[in-house]
Amino acid sequence: MGNVSETVMTAEQRKILAVMLVPMFMSLLSVSIVNVILPDMQRSIGASNSAIQWVLSGYTLAFGVLLVAAGRAGDLFGRGRLFVIGVSVFALGSLISGLSPDPLVLNIARVVMGLGSGLLSPQGVGMLQQYFHGKVRGRAFGMFGTIVGVSVGIGPVLGGGLIAVLGDEWGWRSAFLINVPIALTAIILGRFWLPKSAWIGTGTESASQGRRRADFDPIGLVLLGVGTLLVMLPFLERGAGAWIYALVPVGVAVVWLWVRWENRYSRRGGSPMVDMQLFRTRSFAYGASLTSMYFVGMPGIWVIVALYLQNGLGFPALHAGLIGLPSALLSAIAAQAAGRVVLTFGRKMVVLGVAIGLTGVVASALLVLAHEAWGISIWWLLLTLGITGLGQGMAISPNQTLTLAEVPVEYAGSSGGVMQTGQRVGTAIGIAIVTAVFFVVQPLAGYGAAVVAGFGFIALVIVFAGIIGLVDLARGRAKARQEGQPVSS
C-alpha cells in the first residue's frame, strides 16, 4: 500500500478501518457505559464507595499511563502485533470483570482492561497515519470521530437497556461480557485483513536487515509513565484528602525530567520515545494543546448533567442517558461531513466547531436557568446539547487530522499517544474541577445553580481552546503570506 489513492478509499483501506474502529469503539464504550451500571454493580458485589470508584479510576489510569509507550512500541515492533495483543488483553479483562465475585477481582480486571485499551488505541491512530493519505485520511479520521461520539452517547443508553432487559445482576455483567465476542472477532479479522507491513515496525526492519535494532528507550518509558500517573492520580482519587494534590507538582517535575532525558537521548544518537522536534512543528504543537484544553471542558458536561437529572430531578438512569443521544448522533454526522472537507477549510473548521460547541454549552446553562425559574421543559436539553455535539464533531476529528498531518510515519503511534494522553489527563483534571464546583455550589444554592456554575467553568475552558485555535489560524495565515501562498489555513 505504498501508493494508495488520496481521494478514493480502497477495499483494503476499508478492511483496515473495520478492524481498527470496532475495538476502539468497544474500548471507549467501556468508559461511558460504566457510569450507568455502577449502582447495580455496587449492590451486586457489596463494594464500598471507595472500592467502586476504582472501577473508573483503575481503568482510566492504566489507559492513560500506557498510551505513549504503547504507541512507540507499535512504531518499532509492528502496529498489528501491538493491536492484537491489546485487544486480547482487553478481552481477558472484560471476561474477568463480567464474572468478578468481589470488588478486588473487579478492580484488578478493570486495570487489565485499561492496559488493553492503552495498547490498542495508539495503534489505530498510527495505522490511520500509515495507510491513509490526503482526503481519504480526513474521511478516516472523520469515521474515528464518529466512533468517539457514538460511544460516548450510546454507552449510558446501552447500559440502562441491558439492566432493564437482563436485570440488575446480569445486566451490569453483560456490559463487560459483550466485549469478549467482539474482541475475538477483531483478533481473527486483524490476522487476515491487516496488511503484512502492519506486522513489521522500524525495529524489526532494522534487525532483519542486519542493522542495530531500534531502541525502545526504557528510561524514557518509566519517567513518562510515573509522571503521568502522579499527575492523573490526585484527580481520580479525590477521597484521599488534600495531601494527594502534592503529587501533581512532583509529577510535573518528573515529566520535565522526561523531556530533558528525551532531548539528551536523541543527541546521543538514541531513538527516543517521542521526538521533541515534533513540538517545534506548529500544526502538532497547537493542535495537541487545543485538544488537551478542549477535553478539560467537554467531558464534564455529561457528569454534571447526569447528577442534575438523576439526583436533582429524579430521572431514572435510562432517561438521563437518552438526553445525550442526539448529541452523539449529531457529533457522528458532523465528524463524517467534516472529514471530507477538512483539507479544504483547514483550521477554520476547527475554530468554527469550537464556537458551535461553546454556543451549545451556554444555551444549556440558560435552559437550566429557564427551567428553574419558569418550568420550561428540561427535555429541551436534547436540542442544546445536540448543538454541543455538532460542534464537537466539527472540531475534534478535523483537529486530529491537521495535528498529525506533518508527523513522520515512524512516529505516528507515539505522537498519537501523546495526543490521547493529553486528552486523558485533561479529562481527569476537568471532571475533578467541574464536579468540585458542582458540589460546592449545590448545598448553598441548589442543583440548578450548581449545574449552571459547572457549565460556566466548561464554557471558560472552551473559550481558551478557541483562543489556541485562533492563534494557530493567525500564525498559519502569516506564514502563508510570507511564503507567497494562498491564505486558506
Side-chain angles (χ1 to χ4, degrees), residues 66-99:
L66 202 60
L67 282 167
V68 179
R72 187 58 182 151
D75 295 337
L76 291 175
F77 308 121
R79 298 183 181 107
R81 297 184 186 189
L82 270 292
F83 176 78
V84 168
I85 292 171
V87 175
S88 302
V89 172
F90 185 86
L92 176 64
S94 297
L95 179 64
I96 299 172
S97 295
L99 301 176

Side-chain angles (χ1 to χ4, degrees), residues 29 100 137:
L29 186 71
S100 295
R137 180 183 288 174

Side-chain angles (χ1 to χ4, degrees), residues 21-43:
L21 294 183
V22 172
M24 290 175 75
F25 171 80
M26 178 181 67
S27 69
L28 292 167
L29 186 71
S30 290
V31 178
S32 61
I33 199 172
V34 170
N35 292 322
V36 172
I37 65 175
L38 275 179
D40 297 280
M41 186 190 306
Q42 186 171 12
R43 287 191 295 269

Side-chain angles (χ1 to χ4, degrees), residues 111-485:
V111 169
V112 173
M113 287 180 67
L115 294 174
S117 286
L119 285 169
L120 72 90
S121 292
Q123 315 316 325
V125 176
M127 286 199 202
L128 293 184
Q129 285 288 98
Q130 182 177 358
Y131 295 114
F132 297 81
H133 305 273
K135 292 184 177 180
V136 172
R137 180 183 288 174
R139 289 174 58 193
F141 273 114
M143 296 182 73
F144 176 73
T146 298
I147 289 297
V148 173
V150 172
S151 67
V152 170
I154 206 69
V157 179
L158 179 60
L162 287 172
I163 289 172
V165 172
L166 299 177
D168 294 350
E169 179 68 21
W170 284 104
W172 75 264
R173 293 184 182 278
S174 64
F176 296 122
L177 295 175
I178 197 173
N179 293 327
V180 178
I182 297 173
L184 292 176
T185 302
I187 291 169
I188 294 170
L189 292 180
R191 195 66 190 90
F192 290 102
W193 282 4
L194 291 179
K196 290 183 178 179
S197 55
W199 306 89
I200 302 171
T202 57
T204 50
E205 283 179 343
S206 297
S208 66
Q209 295 171 14
R211 298 194 301 270
R212 182 174 61 87
R213 190 177 180 86
D215 192 344
F216 192 47
D217 184 14
I219 295 178
L221 184 155
V222 172
L223 285 174
L224 181 60
V226 171
T228 304
L229 177 66
L230 293 176
V231 171
M232 289 183 69
L233 183 61
F235 297 100
L236 295 171
E237 182 62 18
R238 298 185 296 275
W243 67 268
I244 199 170
Y245 288 96
L247 296 178
V248 174
V250 177
V252 171
V254 174
V255 172
W256 177 77
L257 287 174
W258 169 72
V259 173
R260 294 282 300 254
W261 168 261
E262 294 292 275
N263 285 325
R264 180 187 176 195
Y265 201 65
S266 181
R267 288 194 301 268
R268 290 168 52 191
S271 179
M273 281 181 64
V274 176
D275 184 355
M276 290 298 154
Q277 294 301 312
L278 288 174
F279 292 96
R280 297 181 182 272
T281 304
R282 177 181 62 87
S283 58
F284 183 80
Y286 278 97
S289 300
L290 188 151
T291 194
S292 298
M293 180 61 68
Y294 191 89
F295 273 82
V296 172
M298 277 299 183
I301 290 175
W302 307 110
V303 177
I304 61 172
V305 166
L307 288 169
Y308 177 56
L309 295 178
Q310 293 181 255
N311 297 350
L313 302 182
F315 276 39
L318 183 58
H319 291 177
L322 287 170
I323 287 284
L325 199 54
S327 176
L329 294 176
L330 286 170
S331 177
I333 294 169
Q336 282 284 304
R340 295 177 181 274
V341 296
V342 59
L343 296 184
T344 302
F345 294 99
R347 192 70 70 183
K348 288 183 289 188
M349 174 170 290
V350 176
V351 173
L352 178 60
V354 172
I356 292 173
L358 176 63
T359 301
V361 171
V362 173
S364 298
L366 294 175
L367 177 63
V368 171
L369 288 173
H371 172 75
E372 294 290 324
W374 301 302
I376 292 176
S377 174
I378 200 64
W379 284 101
W380 283 105
L381 279 175
L382 291 167
L383 174 61
T384 60
L385 294 176
I387 295 171
T388 299
L390 180 67
Q392 179 163 310
M394 292 176 62
I396 296 303
S397 295
N399 182 67
Q400 192 150 18
T401 302
L402 297 169
T403 301
L404 298 175
E406 300 177 70
V407 172
V409 171
E410 60 267 26
Y411 277 99
S414 58
S415 60
V418 169
M419 283 192 68
Q420 291 181 315
T421 300
Q423 293 172 11
R424 301 284 77 77
V425 174
T427 298
I429 293 172
I431 289 178
I433 295 175
V434 79
T435 52
V437 169
F438 185 95
F439 288 124
V440 166
V441 175
Q442 188 272 323
L444 301 174
Y447 280 99
V451 76
V452 170
F455 277 131
F457 166 77
I458 292 166
L460 183 63
V461 171
I462 296 172
V463 167
F464 281 117
I467 291 172
I468 294 172
L470 287 171
V471 171
D472 183 30
L473 183 60
R475 287 180 176 269
R477 286 175 169 172
K479 182 180 179 182
R481 281 193 294 267
Q482 290 173 0
E483 297 175 352
Q485 301 174 355

